[in-house]
Amino acid sequence: MPSITLKSRFIGLLLALTVLALLGALFAPDGRWLGVDVGATSHSLYVFALAGLVWQVSADPEALFPAEWSIAERRGWVSVFFGAMIVVWFAHFMWHASHYDPVPTKPYEFEFRHLGFSLIVLLIAWTVTHIQVGARQGGAVELDERDLRIRHAAVRFGDTLLCVTVVACVVLLATLPGEWLTWWLAPLITAHLLIGLLICKSLAENLWLVLSYARERA
Amino acid sequence: VAGAVLRTRAGLSVPVRNTIREARLTRGLTQEQLAQACDVTRQTIIALEAGKYSPSLELAFRLARALGRDLEEIFRFEEKV
């Protein structure tokens, strides 16, 4: 049976590979490099690395997370990781969408299929890891009043951030010239922006959560 | 004696000190055992003993019961203006 340090290193390697492969898949230049399609190869590598990562973390969360972390804190980090991946995918998609001319008005005019597939894969991976991180510590308390108190503080932070963002959007709508806003106010684009706002709120909450745990431990 | 400093609306510094660690060691319990007896995580016991967390009234009673002491033997309220 491999030692915990060896497993930790392997999981760290898978983690780094997943992030690098994702960046390669999204931001690699078009065309081939030394005969290799970098984008497509990176995407395949990303899927394999992600599957391996979920498998390894689910099989042995102790190899990745320090023993003094509670299940809720571990799950917070899992949420930060997958939330950040979703934000990167979504931001990349919106960046591409901003180059559409004219503005898409029908769902099928968006190249949503690729993003949709990636989001579904990430959501499944997130759910499996979330469940397994807790399931491997049979009988342990998953959430107590301290965890709930930290969670509530994180939600309050997220709500405040959302309010500030909405107010900032209102100010922008009231002050910017109408022609600048034409693209952003197309119904489908606005709908996507609202979804993006909720995704960012969730990521901000989870970041606040894990930072609160780290601050308490310090 | 661990103390969690709370701040009231009036801006008063209100340290709630506890003797959970001493009582636990006297009773020969590990943090894990005390956590199980009170239905909380071991991390919460660590935070309590370090004075970084003030428990709810319900948890305070559960802690006192698990440690076989009265509430005021475990928690001490020291108001300072």
Side-chain angles (χ1 to χ4, degrees):
Chain A
M1 195 169 177
S3 71
I4 201 97
T5 316
L6 194 66
K7 266 197 170 180
S8 302
R9 285 184 187 156
F10 183 56
I11 291 177
L13 187 72
L14 282 174
L15 202 64
L17 193 62
T18 306
V19 173
L20 286 175
L22 172 65
L23 295 177
L26 294 180
F27 302 108
D30 290 337
R32 291 172 176 271
W33 184 68
L34 295 176
V36 177
D37 184 339
V38 181
T41 308
S42 297
H43 191 263
S44 303
L45 199 61
Y46 159 73
V47 173
F48 280 113
L50 183 65
L53 183 67
V54 170
W55 174 39
Q56 287 298 316
V57 174
S58 300
D60 191 4
E62 300 296 324
L64 178 64
F65 300 108
E68 68 267 22
W69 289 13
S70 65
I71 293 176
E73 183 175 7
R74 294 174 183 199
R75 284 180 168 164
W77 278 107
V78 168
S79 299
V80 166
F81 177 73
F82 284 106
M85 302 265 274
I86 288 175
V87 166
V88 171
W89 270 109
F90 201 84
H92 181 261
F93 174 75
M94 289 307 289
W95 171 254
H96 260 269
S98 70
H99 292 89
Y100 290 170
D101 192 29
V103 182
T105 53
K106 303 267 190 309
Y108 61 78
E109 290 171 353
F110 263 113
E111 291 172 16
F112 189 79
R113 203 171 47 187
H114 189 55
L115 174 73
F117 173 76
S118 304
L119 290 187
I120 288 170
V121 167
L122 277 174
L123 287 175
I124 291 172
W126 186 350
T127 307
V128 170
T129 315
H130 179 90
I131 293 169
Q132 288 300 316
V133 161
R136 292 284 161 184
Q137 292 191 354
V141 176
E142 293 188 14
L143 201 67
D144 66 11
E145 61 168 53
R146 178 173 144 270
D147 295 317
L148 284 176
R149 216 177 274 187
I150 293 174
R151 166 62 66 188
H152 288 160
V155 170
R156 279 201 303 275
F157 170 72
D159 288 345
T160 308
L161 201 66
L162 187 65
C163 286
V164 170
T165 311
V166 168
V167 170
C169 288
V170 169
V171 171
L172 284 177
L173 285 172
T175 53
L176 287 178
E179 60 270 22
W180 288 17
L181 298 169
T182 313
W183 189 85
W184 299 96
L185 292 181
L188 269 180
I189 301 294
T190 310
H192 278 80
L193 288 174
L194 289 174
I195 292 172
L197 192 61
L198 291 178
I199 294 172
C200 289
K201 175 185 182 280
S202 166
L203 178 61
E205 280 178 9
N206 284 307
L207 268 172
W208 178 271
L209 185 90
V210 294
L211 290 176
S212 298
Y213 279 112
R215 199 176 51 209
E216 247 192 33
R217 231 186 355 263
Chain B
V1 180
V5 177
L6 305 177
R7 199 157 285 281
T8 65
R9 284 184 186 175
L12 304 177
S13 179
V14 183
V16 178
R17 302 195 176 277
N18 74 68
T19 56
I20 294 173
R21 185 179 160 77
E22 291 74 7
R24 176 176 65 77
L25 292 175
T26 307
R27 211 168 168 81
L29 292 172
T30 63
Q31 290 176 331
E32 190 67 52
Q33 287 168 331
L34 181 58
Q36 279 179 4
C38 298
D39 203 23
V40 293
T41 61
R42 190 173 67 87
Q43 288 72 24
T44 295
I45 300 296
I46 293 170
L48 282 163
E49 290 188 355
K52 290 181 176 174
Y53 177 65
S54 279
S56 66
L57 195 56
E58 184 191 340
L59 177 56
F61 273 110
R62 271 192 272 146
L63 282 162
R65 190 165 294 176
L67 294 167
R69 304 271 182 98
D70 287 334
L71 193 63
E72 293 209 17
E73 285 180 77
I74 303 292
F75 295 97
R76 213 166 51 224
F77 179 73
E78 294 175 359
E79 192 169 355
K80 289 177 190 167
V81 180

